[in-house]
Amino acid sequence: MRSFSFTGLLCLVSIAPFLRVLAAPPKACAPKVKESVIPPRGWTQHGIPSPDHTIVLRIALPQPDFNLLEKHLYEVSDPSHARYGDHLSKEEVERLVAPHQDSIDAVDEWLRSYNIDSNDVHRSAAKDWVTVKIPVSLAEKMLDTTYHVWEHSDGDQIVRTTSYSLPENLHAHIDLVQPTTMFGRFKGLKSTIVWPDEAEAPPQLKTLVGTVNTASGAIVDASCNTTITIKCLQQLYNAVGFTPKILKNSIGITGYLEQFANIQDLQSFYAEQRPDALNSSFKFISVKGGLNDQNLSLAGAEANLDVQFAFGLSFPIPGTFWSTAGRPPFKPDVGTPTNTNEPYTDWLDFVLSHPSPPLSISTSYGDDEQTVPKSFAIRACASFAQLGVRGVSLMFSSGDGGVGDNNPNPATQQCFTNDGRNATRFIPLFPASCPFVTSVGGTVGVPEVAVSRFFSGGGFSDYFERPWYQEKAVKKHLSTLPKGTYKGLYNPKGRGIPDVAAQGDRFRIFLSGVPRMIGGTSASSPTFAGIVALLNDVRLSKKLPPLGFLNPLLYSVDSSAFNDITVGHNSGCGTTGFNATRGWDPVTGLGTPNFGILAKLVVQKGH
Ligand SMILES: *[C@@H]1O[C@H](CO)[C@@H](O)[C@H](O)[C@H]1NC(C)=O
Ligand SMILES: *[C@@H]1O[C@H](CO)[C@@H](O)[C@H](O)[C@H]1NC(C)=O
Ligand SMILES: *[C@@H]1O[C@H](CO)[C@@H](O)[C@H](O)[C@H]1NC(C)=O
Ligand SMILES: *[C@@H]1O[C@H](CO)[C@@H](O)[C@H](O)[C@H]1NC(C)=O
Ligand SMILES: *[C@@H]1O[C@H](CO)[C@@H](O)[C@H](O)[C@H]1NC(C)=O
């Protein structure tokens, strides 16, 4: 048990001099290292930030009742449980993640001891996050550390430190403080465009004559073998002719890193692939001043891909596109003070404070799990659980580097641990490795096989243990591996990635006015999110609650609900990676969705 009897008050000897007469400063007030990391490969110290450089410090207070929240999450997400679909309200969730009052008091005292005005302190609704905007020089004093400008070999710069300390008595009251040791950058997971040169871009959507039958019996246009359109996905995933009816439904796409979703491009896309959606658009929501610049030449490949396919597939379900400001790759010379924000938590903050977030949300960003401090990964993952228990389904791309790091280029892929040992190791991606999200791998072609122009991210988390819902499926796969396979290269007890898959290559989008082909598990995640939005329509139209956190359902439904992908593998780290096999595998998960069958199952199982 943690003791909450020490509060920050004991450390305020410097502003209460009479106490000094009574006793020397208690040992509990001495700074003690809270967290230290080895900077991930590729980062080097570049210089020191200007002392008046502003930093937005986020302080996470412990959530003593999180276990209870997790219990609720699993009960309301498990179709065999009596509480299936009985999601919690925003207020109920906030009560479950609220910190202990002693922690709130201790942190407040600590901030006050540095003369931080309570007006400059921002608190999340549950009071589990405290945010203060302060000069880096003050952060250095508070955390007994030195910040540096760090530069990545690809040119990105951020202001970080490799270690920070807190007074010993505060260790029990603070889970983490960031940005400090967080080197992860949450890059977009789109792979290179197939035809990067405009001259080579496919001029017209080719309609190859004829159709082909897939193993699952679906009839698919032959052209889908080389070009993926909305119609191809409807055919492949057995959703032809389905029109959503319930407009109280919703789907959301997250955008970061100044990725703008262009509305003119969306109209061009709709004109070609979804004429009935023409003139419709999405709701744009700016988070922390994020923009959605409509200059056609600034359209983002990632954002355009995500909105065109997610909203095209789920039309007319209302779509939301969030653009969150702040790039973690910070250029100190630009001098925008808020740029040290880690935008990911800004989005989480924002969406958790909303009374009714979109019900199906796709994110095509991520980074190597080991570049994200474990404490941060656990807290972010806990935030995803908060959305899931409120009835929101979260999809994340599983990555494009196979079993290797977030780098689809095998020549430059790095597969070494960042723990000082520099051991060869497969590198899973976060947030795909969080057990409270649905991670989506990639397939290609007709019939579908695991994608191979780049490789579907997959493997096993080094941070998160295997959750109960995938115990049977993952163990079965592990038992088929020849004894000793990849021993020491992965954590066989870790959360298996991905959960499911969807087409991930040769997507035909419009970008800056011209059709382009693009791929990556960045395409797979919004595709799956689109199918989930359609499934929510099926449930809502029967007056059933939305699906919420999906995984316990996905792993328990009949295997006919998925097109099992059994061909291909996910090379990486100089190996051929894992194989796509019958049943779940760490390449394509359970397989790609069969909407027609899932639509029947999701109304049978609920109540
Ligand atoms: C799709 O393309 C693959 C690879 O080029 C080929 O092997 C396969 O036969 C094609 N499928 C159909 C149905 O034409
Ligand atoms: C879109 O708007 C144009 C111009 O106002 C109109 O001609 C067209 O019929 C509209 N299309 C749809 C599908 O609403
Ligand atoms: C659009 O962006 C391009 C590239 O940054 C720029 O050259 C152009 O002036 C912009 N157009 C407008 C209308 O702002
Ligand atoms: C880690 O090991 C690899 C392979 O032996 C080597 O190329 C690399 O330089 C090492 N990196 C560090 C930081 O020691
Ligand atoms: C994948 O399949 C190939 C060919 O059957 C086999 O040689 C290899 O051992 C398998 N790899 C794993 C990790 O199971």
Side-chain angles (χ1 to χ4, degrees), residues 3 26 123 158 219 226 241 314 436 563:
S3 157
R123 290 171 209 283
I158 55 179
I219 296 171
T226 50
S314 58
F436 306 133
N563 313 304

Side-chain angles (χ1 to χ4, degrees), residues 481-482 485-486 577-579:
L481 297 180
T485 303
Y486 302 143
F578 295 102
N579 292 329

Side-chain angles (χ1 to χ4, degrees), residues 105-320:
D105 293 343
V107 170
D108 283 356
E109 287 296 339
W110 179 54
L111 296 177
R112 225 174 297 149
S113 74
Y114 285 95
N115 295 322
I116 295 172
D117 193 274
S118 60
N119 290 328
D120 297 334
V121 176
H122 172 265
R123 290 171 209 283
S124 64
K127 298 194 164 77
D128 56 337
W129 284 97
V130 173
T131 309
V132 290
K133 199 165 156 180
I134 53 175
V136 70
S137 52
L138 179 55
E140 288 181 333
K141 281 196 197 95
M142 293 168 67
L143 302 173
D144 192 33
T145 188
T146 307
Y147 278 88
H148 282 92
V149 176
W150 290 81
E151 186 170 85
H152 193 269
S153 50
D154 66 15
D156 280 343
Q157 293 186 343
I158 55 179
V159 174
R160 293 291 185 271
T161 173
T162 54
S163 168
Y164 66 95
S165 298
L166 292 169
E168 192 166 349
N169 68 311
L170 276 175
H171 278 229
H173 298 297
I174 292 179
D175 272 353
L176 64 93
V177 182
Q178 291 293 349
T180 49
T181 52
M182 168 76 178
F183 284 82
R185 291 179 292 166
F186 294 115
K187 289 179 280 194
L189 295 178
K190 67 174 187 310
S191 182
T192 43
I193 290 170
V194 182
W195 285 276
D197 180 359
E198 219 169 287
E200 291 176 61
Q204 283 297 311
L205 181 55
K206 279 203 208 79
T207 325
L208 296 188
V209 270
T211 57
V212 292
N213 294 310
T214 70
S216 68
I219 296 171
V220 180
D221 291 350
S223 59
C224 301
N225 206 19
T226 50
T227 306
I228 290 295
T229 60
I230 294 289
K231 189 176 172 208
C232 292
L233 297 175
Q234 291 169 331
Q235 291 176 332
L236 280 160
Y237 302 141
N238 192 14
V240 176
F242 179 82
T243 307
K245 290 169 281 298
I246 306 297
L247 297 182
K248 260 197 88 175
N249 194 357
S250 46
I251 178 168
I253 292 292
T254 64
Y256 296 97
L257 312 179
E258 287 133 36
Q259 275 279 334
F260 307 132
N262 190 275
I263 292 164
Q264 188 182 325
D265 278 337
L266 182 66
Q267 299 311 316
S268 308
F269 176 83
Y270 281 165
E272 183 186 89
Q273 296 194 27
R274 189 84 219 219
D276 56 330
L278 204 58
N279 301 339
S280 76
S281 189
F282 50 84
K283 181 163 148 196
F284 165 63
I285 299 183
S286 161
V287 180
K288 293 260 168 161
L291 303 175
N292 196 29
D293 194 321
Q294 289 303 303
N295 178 336
L296 197 58
S297 63
L298 299 181
E302 179 69 74
N304 272 15
L305 166 68
D306 298 354
V307 302
Q308 288 173 19
F309 275 89
F311 301 156
L313 201 50
S314 58
F315 176 80
I317 295 170
T320 293

Side-chain angles (χ1 to χ4, degrees), residues 392-426:
V392 175
S393 306
L394 296 171
M395 267 54 67
F396 281 84
S397 309
S398 72
D400 301 344
V403 292
D405 70 355
N406 187 16
N407 174 1
N409 179 358
T412 52
Q413 201 166 50
Q414 297 272 356
C415 301
F416 305 106
T417 59
N418 195 44
D419 55 1
R421 293 183 306 136
N422 195 33
T424 305
R425 187 94 174 158
F426 292 164

